[in-house]
Amino acid sequence: MRILRPTALAAGVLLISSLTLPAQGGGGPSYEWELTPTGSASQFRGLAAVSADVAWVAGSKGQILRTVNGGKNWANVSPAGAETLLFRDIEAFDSERAVALSIGPGEDSRVLRTADGGKTWTETFKNLDPVAFYDCLDFNDSRHGLALSDPVDGKFRILETHDGGKKWSVQSTKGMPAALPGEFAFAASGTCLVAGPGRMAWFATGGADRPRVFRTYDGGRNWKVTDSPMGSGAAAGIFSLALRGPLHAVAVGGDFLKPDDAVKAASVTRDGGKTWKLVPDDQAPAGYRSGSAFLPHTGQTVVAVGPSGSDVSYDGGESWHQFDEGSFDSVECARTGWRTACWASGINGRVAKLVR
């Protein structure tokens, strides 16, 4: 279990991203972040991109914000009495319905749900096992979702819902491979577990002598696991997965104690996670990256973010080019018709939209 410590950021109020760089190579469009002031000092690792207009963020001090006008205004829709909770993930279906995960050992790990835009929240799960520590959650659709806990009794634990987060149950671990000594998942951006089409879901790990990627195709009943060529260690491993259909995925990470280093920090699969190709260090993101997302309608374009900057890949994760040096923890993209909206969030209330 790992609660990532905050990363320092220079003080000041910014209206655009602190530094925008041209994305070198790749022949793709230029991107930059346009900050949307939230008025908050919380660190927002939880992010849900619904559309170009609607997004939710969740973070420290129990704070949850929502915008319905593209970030011009952010409303504080935090659950009452949640000031001690540390939200690390949020999934939203629209402007009214969202499910948020707080992390920590024992009862600190909880799931809350709203169906009225955050006016009221209902606690739908509280972890009573002192050993369990939930890291991230995701949904296949508006009803089916999974949440991931670090190993309990030698195996990762999965929580499931079939009604949009109203009720949750702990799955049997019969079909879960054994965890490695010291293995865990990173609660860094809500993308250590990602859900795909049908009942597919993947999650990634670190902490042990090697990182691994677990895959299910039956809603979490049975899992297959593959070793990754990326680096691993006490503070290192795979922090984020981004899926492009059932076969193509990107993994990013590194060592969060070394945010400027990118040693064995990215890999790509094109055969459904059976094998992973390590991205050479000179082609990898420019540092440790905690979040990643494919851009809809682009085929091969994927963005990764971390405390030392943002990178874009135009070839499905095979090579990366830094375009920003501002700090972000999470990135997520939404598809609304033919419009693409990508949002990023992070320390000191930083939330931004991707523009080109």
Side-chain angles (χ1 to χ4, degrees):
M1 63 186 73
R2 288 295 183 271
I3 301 177
L4 303 186
R5 64 187 185 185
T7 304
L9 184 71
V13 178
L14 303 176
L15 297 180
I16 60 174
S17 190
S18 58
L19 176 60
T20 301
L21 304 174
Q24 301 296 326
S30 296
Y31 293 102
E32 63 181 7
W33 292 112
E34 181 179 275
L35 292 181
T36 64
T38 62
S40 172
S42 290
Q43 184 170 15
F44 293 119
R45 292 188 182 271
L47 170 64
V50 177
S51 68
D53 296 318
V54 179
W56 302 64
V57 291
S60 57
K61 302 177 182 178
Q63 193 164 81
I64 297 178
L65 308 183
R66 182 192 67 151
T67 183
V68 294
N69 58 8
K72 295 178 182 177
N73 304 101
W74 289 88
N76 188 337
V77 295
S78 305
E83 294 81 8
T84 61
L85 297 181
L86 187 62
F87 289 113
R88 285 293 176 89
D89 201 356
I90 186 166
E91 303 296 329
F93 309 113
D94 49 42
S95 63
E96 299 296 309
R97 298 175 298 156
V99 178
L101 172 73
S102 67
I103 69 160
E107 295 185 3
D108 289 339
S109 285
R110 306 181 191 186
V111 179
L112 286 78
R113 180 181 184 273
T114 183
D116 57 11
K119 295 177 183 177
T120 61
W121 292 84
T122 302
E123 184 180 283
T124 58
F125 173 77
K126 179 188 287 187
N127 173 44
L128 300 180
D129 189 327
V131 180
F133 184 112
Y134 286 85
D135 299 291
C136 44
L137 60 82
D138 202 3
F139 282 79
N140 299 101
D141 51 45
S142 62
R143 296 183 58 81
H144 300 95
L146 302 175
L148 171 69
S149 167
D150 287 334
V152 177
D153 296 328
K155 290 187 175 182
F156 284 92
R157 175 173 288 182
I158 298 293
L159 197 65
E160 65 178 340
T161 181
H162 301 288
D163 57 10
K166 295 177 184 178
K167 297 186 295 293
W168 295 84
S169 58
V170 176
Q171 288 188 349
S172 167
T173 59
K174 183 178 179 180
M176 176 71 71
L180 299 173
E183 189 176 24
F184 53 81
F186 290 100
S189 66
T191 51
C192 63
L193 179 147
V194 291
R199 304 303 308 282
M200 183 178 82
W202 298 16
F203 71 83
T205 71
D209 61 357
R210 60 193 184 275
R212 301 196 292 174
V213 179
F214 292 68
R215 314 182 311 280
T216 182
Y217 299 94
D218 59 7
R221 294 293 187 272
N222 297 282
W223 296 82
K224 298 180 180 180
V225 62
T226 302
D227 290 351
S228 166
M230 290 171 57
S232 189
I238 301 172
F239 283 72
S240 175
L241 292 169
L243 295 181
R244 170 65 83 194
L247 297 179
H248 184 191
V250 169
V252 299
D255 188 328
F256 77 81
L257 296 179
K258 302 175 181 178
D260 296 319
D261 290 352
V263 179
K264 295 185 178 181
S267 60
V268 178
T269 181
R270 296 185 184 272
D271 60 7
K274 297 176 183 177
T275 61
W276 289 84
K277 176 184 176 182
L278 184 67
V279 178
D281 291 346
D282 61 354
Q283 296 293 310
Y288 148 69
R289 297 293 180 254
S290 55
S292 60
F294 276 95
L295 276 62
H297 312 305
T298 61
Q300 297 290 305
T301 303
V302 57
V303 172
V305 301
S308 63
S310 302
D311 305 85
V312 61
S313 171
Y314 303 111
D315 55 12
E318 303 280 351
S319 61
W320 297 82
H321 319 281
Q322 187 172 13
F323 68 92
D324 187 87
E325 289 188 349
S327 175
F328 290 107
D329 298 309
S330 305
V331 59
E332 185 169 319
C333 299
R335 181 196 299 265
T336 306
W338 287 103
R339 298 176 64 193
T340 297
C342 293
W343 298 78
S345 62
I347 201 169
N348 286 354
R350 283 170 56 89
V351 181
K353 295 176 68 175
L354 192 68
V355 298
R356 48 180 291 193

